[in-house]
Amino acid sequence: MSKHALIIIDIQNDYFPGGKWTLDGADRAADNAARILAATRAKGDLVVHVRHEFESADAPFFTPGSEGAQIHPKVAALASEPVVLKHKVNSFLNTELKALLDEHKVEAVTVIGSMSHMCIDGFTRAAADFGYTVTVIHDACASRDLEFNGVAVPAAQVHAAYMASLAFAYAQVITTEDYLSGNHRDAAN
């Protein structure tokens, strides 16, 4: 049995054109995510979908029960694949994710999804702290423009800064092509 799991975080409708919180490159990232998902299913590894809903209807996006909070069709979960509902940035916080991974004796995780600077970052750091070997597929993740203290930061720079930080100490950060071609370390298989 494989000790690897693919974790798909927050690839949800509100992040796509027409949604309440559109991300730069959401479609491109989801297309890469769909390729990774298909390869993972073919390999027989565990796939875990993580879906974010805020706890209040006043939320700017991912409002409870909304179409925007649903998983995007490009990476829809199969009935046999667990979907973890979270209410915070960190996918482990107050969810069954850690217990699910432990139940399957997972040692290594690959993460894809959104947003690079929030939930991908939060998951990756927490997973590494729990001792998992972490791989982030950076071109299967998406972000958005940010602003801090009057400085506009384009989405590409936001994404690059977070991926550089994760690659420095928390994860192997690679492309979809490298992942699918096997051009990466995979310690748990």
Side-chain angles (χ1 to χ4, degrees), residues 6 8 11 37 41 47-51 70-84:
L6 174 65
I8 305 172
I11 301 182
L37 175 58
R41 286 173 173 161
V47 174
V48 179
H49 301 262
V50 177
R51 190 174 71 80
Q70 298 308 305
I71 294 173
H72 194 274
K74 288 183 181 186
V75 293
L78 299 177
S80 60
E81 294 169 346
V83 178
V84 173

Side-chain angles (χ1 to χ4, degrees), residues 22-26 114-117 141-146 155-156 158-159:
T22 307
L23 302 184
D24 184 58
S114 297
M115 293 184 287
S116 305
H117 63 281
C141 298
S143 194
R144 62 180 291 150
D145 296 348
L146 295 179
V158 170
H159 180 78

Side-chain angles (χ1 to χ4, degrees), residues 2 4-6 8 31-47 74-75 78 81 110 112 137 175-182 184 186 189:
S2 174
H4 173 262
L6 174 65
I8 305 172
D31 289 342
N32 284 333
R35 293 173 59 209
I36 293 162
L37 175 58
T40 302
R41 286 173 173 161
K43 193 173 174 183
D45 285 354
L46 177 66
V47 174
K74 288 183 181 186
V75 293
L78 299 177
E81 294 169 346
T110 297
I112 56 179
I137 313 296
T175 66
T176 297
E177 293 308 321
D178 281 344
Y179 187 77
L180 294 176
S181 70
H184 63 96
D186 193 6
N189 277 336

Side-chain angles (χ1 to χ4, degrees), residues 21 58 62 64 66 74 83 96 111 120 127 129 141 147 153 158 161 164 171 179:
W21 202 258
D58 296 335
F62 296 165
S66 69
K74 288 183 181 186
V83 178
E96 69 275 14
V111 62
I120 298 302
D129 288 346
C141 298
E147 182 275 330
V153 185
V158 170
Y179 187 77

